[in-house]
Amino acid sequence: MSSSATHVDPRRWKALIFIALAQLMVVLDATIVNIALPSAQADLGISDANRQWVITAYALAFGGLLLFGGRVADLWGRKRTFIIGLVGFALASALGGAASNEGVLLGARALQGVFGALLAPAALSLLAVTFTEARERAKAFGIFGAIAGGGGAVGLILGGVLTEYMNWRWTFFVNIPFAVVAAVGALLVIREPAGSRNPSKLDVPGVILATLGLVSLVYGFTRAESDGWGAGMTVGLFVAAAVLLAVFVLVESKVKSPLLPLRVLTDRNRAGVYASLGLAVIGMFGLFLFLTYYMQIVKGYTPVTTGLAFLPMIVGMITGSTQIGARLMTRVRPRLLMAPGFLLAAVGMFLLTGIDLDTSYPALILPAFLLLGLGMGTAFMPAMSLATHGVQPRDAGVASAMVNTSQQVGGAIGTALLNTIAASATTAYATSHAKSAPSVDLLKLESMVHGYTAAIWWAVGILAVAAVIAFTMVTTGHQGGSGPVARSGDGADTAEGADAEAEADVPIPVMAH
């Protein structure tokens, strides 16, 4: 029996249940609040100018602290960080659900972001170090990829049901049972592999620079949406982000124990995954927002009906991830799954450019959702696995954090960029058709739909670019073979092996390609 076989955790599949449950909670929380926001705004008397902070407070804390959270998982241990993240997220959710005023709600959202930044990279890195055999890894990441891709749409469904039949506060309280079950399960069945922690001291300058840089970047896109791209504050935030992140890269290249070892980024395949995932999320986040408003305002759907309308997309994502991506990942190069997946999603997005006031859901929106789901599920699954494939166990947390960072920054860019495009197109259409419109209400709806389709056209192009990046940058072979992925205990994490990897700046392969 190989030495690696002795490291196989017999409870790993039970562990996957609780890791996936925690990931679902984090991902659906990104969209579940969107559905409840109008009700919460009215109940707490939040102004239109401040309502965006219910979303922004979470995004800034989560996006800004992800790299820090990933390194904390490497230092403290992933299981411990995972449980702390779950408990903290549950407490922050309870505070948000019980909020009596705007300030408490915004504070709770920021706390959710802080603990989410601990939880998300810990979950993905636990998966990476627990499942190391090629075929098992494919199945595990197939499930995880389906949740990562479809969790946002699940949030829309759950948010609609809770808001319509209960109260907006339950969009926060619902996180508590998720967190409790996942935390108890983690205590009982998750076992972190020995020797996979990073004993190095925390890179404090790196933490400060990365956090400030990412917060400036995310907030810059938020201000661009509200103030415009040329506003002084917007430009200043983007300049500050560029300077801070450039200094961060310089510092990381010099310090002995960097927050983000550059070897994680300079691997061509991982860089391709981060870039293509970030672009894909730009298109998807904008889509959720536009179609939620389209179906509720233009089509007159209830929150519950709107959420259920997204269900075929979730089914497509689960099918693409578990039945296509997971089955082919060990036999097909990742780029031959990622690029076609993004292109299929682009075709589904293209169909949605044809929406109008009288669009039939079965004839156009349903097939578009199915194509989007299949495409994104097929692409997300190998991307999630490849992002942590071959990375040293001591870097698994921060490599996982980079996946979440690319998605979070992509979501911020998508919301700001596509909203700005939609708003400009809406205004232009309303101005040019004001005299010929039969009624003000009809003009308003037509202008709104025109704005949505203009932004969706951009999303089509962005998904096409993601496909090109995936095809050209992701050049590794398939993730199949009989051996396990390099991990602690297999000889890849010895001092000599680690030094060799750092010098060569590529992962040490144990698995046949």
Side-chain angles (χ1 to χ4, degrees), residues 418-444:
L418 297 182
N419 266 350
T420 303
I421 292 167
S424 299
T426 298
T427 302
Y429 185 92
T431 302
S432 63
H433 291 75
K435 293 181 180 180
S436 60
S439 72
V440 174
D441 289 340
L442 184 61
L443 176 62
K444 182 180 178 180

Side-chain angles (χ1 to χ4, degrees), residues 26-109:
V26 172
V27 175
L28 68 82
D29 193 75
T31 54
I32 193 172
V33 177
N34 287 342
I35 295 286
L37 184 53
S39 299
Q41 180 183 357
D43 194 16
L44 299 181
I46 303 172
S47 68
D48 287 346
N50 288 341
R51 68 181 177 185
Q52 66 165 333
W53 281 101
V54 178
I55 307 300
T56 304
Y58 178 87
L60 290 180
F62 186 67
L65 293 171
L66 271 168
L67 284 178
F68 173 65
R71 184 50 84 196
V72 165
D74 290 332
L75 288 168
W76 290 358
R78 295 166 190 91
K79 178 177 177 178
R80 180 189 299 175
T81 306
F82 182 76
I83 293 171
I84 291 172
L86 283 167
V87 172
F89 202 93
L91 292 174
S93 298
L95 181 63
S100 57
N101 56 57
E102 176 182 329
V104 174
L105 180 62
L106 296 183
R109 287 292 285 162

Side-chain angles (χ1 to χ4, degrees), residues 83-455:
I83 293 171
I84 291 172
L86 283 167
V87 172
F89 202 93
L91 292 174
S93 298
L95 181 63
S100 57
N101 56 57
E102 176 182 329
V104 174
L105 180 62
L106 296 183
R109 287 292 285 162
L111 278 175
Q112 281 185 313
V114 170
F115 288 106
L118 290 176
L119 180 58
L124 183 56
S125 56
L126 272 173
L127 200 69
V129 299
T130 300
F131 292 91
T132 56
E133 194 277 324
R135 297 190 186 283
E136 287 194 348
R137 184 179 176 89
K139 292 178 183 177
F141 272 88
I143 296 168
F144 194 85
I147 290 170
V154 172
L156 294 173
I157 296 174
L158 194 56
V161 172
L162 294 173
T163 302
E164 187 167 337
Y165 292 113
M166 297 180 74
N167 186 286
W168 67 266
R169 296 180 184 278
W170 283 95
T171 61
F172 288 89
F173 291 145
V174 73
N175 290 326
I176 298 172
F178 277 106
V180 170
V181 172
V184 172
L187 283 169
L188 294 176
V189 305
I190 291 179
R191 198 185 311 171
E192 190 173 354
S196 63
R197 293 188 188 181
N198 187 335
S200 305
K201 291 183 179 180
L202 186 64
D203 170 22
V204 177
V207 170
I208 295 172
L209 288 166
T211 301
L212 291 177
L214 288 170
V215 165
S216 297
L217 185 62
V218 173
Y219 189 40
F221 283 109
T222 301
R223 291 304 294 257
E225 181 185 352
S226 59
D227 299 348
W229 294 91
M233 176 63 79
T234 304
V235 173
L237 286 166
F238 284 143
V239 171
V243 172
L244 287 165
L245 293 175
V247 175
F248 169 70
V249 172
L250 180 64
V251 168
E252 298 307 276
S253 68
K254 304 293 185 183
V255 297
K256 183 178 179 181
S257 302
L259 173 70
L260 176 61
L262 296 184
R263 60 180 173 267
V264 173
L265 286 180
T266 52
D267 178 81
R268 173 175 179 161
N269 294 292
R270 276 195 290 274
V273 167
Y274 297 148
S276 59
L277 272 182
L279 284 169
V281 170
I282 289 176
M284 292 301 291
F285 262 64
L287 177 77
F288 286 152
L289 187 64
F290 296 141
L291 288 184
T292 297
Y293 278 98
Y294 170 76
M295 287 189 281
Q296 289 194 36
I297 296 175
V298 179
K299 303 296 288 181
Y301 292 179
T302 65
V304 172
T305 304
T306 300
L308 292 174
F310 281 99
L311 192 57
M313 185 188 298
I314 300 173
V315 172
M317 285 181 176
I318 293 172
T319 302
S321 186
T322 61
Q323 302 304 311
I324 300 175
R327 289 177 182 273
L328 296 179
M329 191 180 82
T330 56
R331 289 175 279 179
V332 175
R333 289 173 176 267
R335 69 176 183 175
L336 298 181
L337 291 172
M338 291 174 63
F342 289 137
L343 284 177
L344 188 61
V347 172
M349 194 76 77
F350 169 75
L351 292 180
L352 292 172
T353 61
I355 60 172
D356 56 30
L357 299 184
D358 302 314
T359 296
S360 164
Y361 177 84
L364 191 145
I365 298 175
L366 175 60
F369 276 2
L370 288 171
L371 290 175
L372 272 164
L374 279 171
M376 294 302 283
T378 300
F380 263 62
M381 191 266 139
M384 292 292 236
S385 177
L386 188 59
T388 53
H389 174 66
V391 76
Q392 295 180 35
R394 59 180 178 159
D395 294 333
V398 76
S400 302
M402 275 302 300
V403 178
N404 289 284
T405 300
S406 67
Q407 292 177 309
Q408 185 64 26
V409 172
I413 295 171
T415 302
L417 175 63
L418 297 182
N419 266 350
T420 303
I421 292 167
S424 299
T426 298
T427 302
Y429 185 92
T431 302
S432 63
H433 291 75
K435 293 181 180 180
S436 60
S439 72
V440 174
D441 289 340
L442 184 61
L443 176 62
K444 182 180 178 180
L445 293 177
E446 289 177 341
S447 301
M448 190 184 300
V449 172
H450 177 77
Y452 295 161
T453 56

